[in-house]
Amino acid sequence: MTTPKKPLVDEAEWQAQERGMRAALGEASAGLDSTAASYFTVASAVLSAPVSEPPTDFAASVAAHVAKREPVVERVMSRMLAAAFVVAATATVIIYGDAWWAALEPWRGSDALGWIVAGAGCVLMSWIPRQILDLLGEESSTTASRG
Amino acid sequence: MTQPPPPFHGPIEADQALVAAVLAGKTGAFETLVRNYQGLCWHVVDRMVRHPDDTRELCQEAFLRIHQTLHQYRGESPLKSWIGQVAYSVARRYLERKRIPIAELPADEEGTSLIERVGDGFDLEASVADEEIGAHLHASIEALPPLQRTLLTLYHLEEMPIVEIARVTGLAEGTIKSHLFRSRKLLRDILESRIGVRA
């Protein structure tokens, strides 16, 4: 036969702890029984235990740290993304370039297609570097060139 | 002519407004957020790690993480709980790295060992009665394991309800209540053993 398990928290004693805590927090402390009174002493000790406080300049120094750090993180991430894009684009052209060129073989003699390909090439050649420069944080130089 | 009263902002609305200001990059908003919650963060980390230099560094780390992940705050619970949760997790990871046990020893061992630890080197002659009891209890609180010390601080000092402490620590409410009950009972036993010694 198993004996009933003792509950982890004795509810009557828990209530005494709570009365002691409320009294220590400034609520009515009159009429505390001896158990609650000893918990009042315990709760008062918890409240009066030495606690260190943050230095007065803490908030300002954390905010300054964040302000200083944020653009650096963004810049590094952007550069990593730009580098990854360039590597991926180059690898794609190296791997599939021949196949693309071969696929265009039947139309390569046509004048219209030649002009379309040349036009698309010009657009890409002006658009891609601008995107890369933007990503690298060189917005000012591209703005100047647009103006 | 009287000015109309300002619109009422409850704590959650105020939190959401502050978070929106930080996310919009409003000058000084993040510093205000840190100033509002640095006490809570400091108390949690300090109670867990008990090392002043590391406390500053860990609190800074907690606020940097808060800044990076603030867009994830959905305003479903008070910002206080969310910040407390980050502070607690930063401090807990520090203790784990240092291989410092966070929670208590088994109940039977704990009472004896804590009383013995606190009793060692305590100068009874040097203290007057109440101060002696207070100092002894303070030493006993210091000697509690980090988790119990932090739960007492959140419940008594920060006056956080158990449900909110559960959000901060990720522990079940029953577990928190059990820890609080046993810690306070242990401190009472120590108090009564002290009174017994004096009598």
Side-chain angles (χ1 to χ4, degrees):
Chain A
M1 196 179 119
T2 55
T3 51
K5 207 174 168 185
K6 196 181 163 191
L8 285 172
V9 175
D10 177 325
E11 198 51 40
E13 191 162 357
W14 170 263
Q15 290 306 329
Q17 292 183 350
E18 293 294 279
R19 286 196 300 278
M21 181 183 79
R22 285 196 296 273
L25 288 171
E27 289 181 27
S29 58
L32 288 179
D33 56 65
S34 64
T35 312
S38 57
Y39 280 121
F40 167 77
T41 309
V42 167
S44 302
V46 173
L47 289 175
S48 65
V51 181
S52 74
E53 295 295 339
T56 49
D57 68 337
F58 181 73
S61 77
V62 172
H65 193 79
V66 164
K68 206 167 64 181
R69 176 185 147 118
E70 195 175 25
V72 175
V73 173
E74 278 182 7
R75 210 177 308 131
V76 169
M77 290 292 288
S78 301
R79 285 184 181 176
M80 285 168 63
L81 281 172
F85 173 75
V86 169
V87 169
T90 309
T92 306
V93 169
I94 289 170
I95 294 168
Y96 299 107
D98 283 350
W100 292 341
W101 189 249
L104 289 173
E105 185 71 39
W107 298 285
R108 221 182 290 157
S110 156
D111 282 350
L113 181 74
W115 283 112
I116 290 168
V117 170
C122 285
V123 170
L124 281 175
M125 290 300 283
S126 60
W127 182 78
I128 290 174
R130 188 172 291 169
Q131 296 307 308
I132 292 172
L133 286 175
D134 283 353
L135 279 172
L136 290 172
E138 309 235 351
E139 181 63 34
S140 56
S141 65
T142 55
T143 309
S145 73
R146 275 181 216 137
Chain B
M1 200 176 116
T2 55
Q3 291 283 324
F8 173 75
H9 289 301
I12 296 260
E13 285 82 1
D15 285 347
Q16 285 173 331
L18 183 56
V19 168
V22 174
L23 293 176
K26 201 172 164 192
T27 312
F30 186 63
E31 189 174 335
T32 304
L33 184 146
V34 176
R35 189 159 287 123
N36 288 355
Y37 294 103
Q38 61 183 357
L40 167 72
C41 181
W42 198 274
H43 291 161
V44 169
V45 173
D46 182 53
R47 283 296 192 209
M48 289 282 277
V49 307
R50 305 305 293 145
H51 195 291
D53 291 342
D54 290 344
T55 297
R56 184 181 177 121
E57 205 173 298
L58 293 171
C59 279
Q60 182 165 305
E61 185 186 329
F63 277 111
L64 292 181
R65 192 176 301 173
I66 287 160
H67 186 264
Q68 281 165 6
T69 56
L70 201 58
H71 60 279
Q72 293 171 7
Y73 174 70
R74 292 190 297 273
E76 289 164 0
S77 58
L79 189 57
K80 184 180 180 182
S81 309
W82 198 67
I83 288 174
Q85 195 181 345
V86 176
Y88 177 78
S89 101
V90 166
R92 194 185 60 188
R93 211 165 26 244
Y94 166 92
L95 294 176
E96 284 167 355
R97 274 200 309 268
K98 300 252 174 192
R99 298 181 189 283
I100 297 170
I102 295 170
E104 63 192 331
L105 299 165
D108 292 345
E109 295 168 35
E110 186 186 3
T112 323
S113 64
L114 190 61
I115 290 168
E116 282 167 0
R117 265 185 281 160
V118 173
D120 286 347
F122 190 80
D123 188 0
L124 276 173
E125 302 292 323
S127 304
V128 290
D130 285 348
E131 283 175 2
E132 178 205 326
I133 289 171
H136 198 75
L137 282 173
H138 290 162
S140 306
I141 294 163
E142 282 295 301
L144 285 171
L147 179 64
Q148 279 83 339
R149 219 161 43 210
T150 306
L151 293 178
L152 279 178
T153 301
L154 290 174
Y155 195 59
H156 285 250
L157 200 65
E158 299 291 335
E159 297 182 52
M160 240 187 215
I162 289 177
V163 63
E164 214 172 304
I165 300 176
R167 280 197 211 111
V168 168
T169 58
L171 298 171
E173 288 177 41
T175 308
I176 293 165
K177 188 171 175 180
S178 166
H179 278 308
L180 284 171
F181 177 77
R182 288 165 65 190
S183 302
R184 297 195 291 198
K185 190 169 180 349
L186 177 66
L187 292 172
R188 182 186 171 220
D189 291 346
I190 291 169
L191 168 71
E192 302 210 322
S193 75
R194 246 20 251 183
I195 293 169
V197 167
R198 280 175 53 210

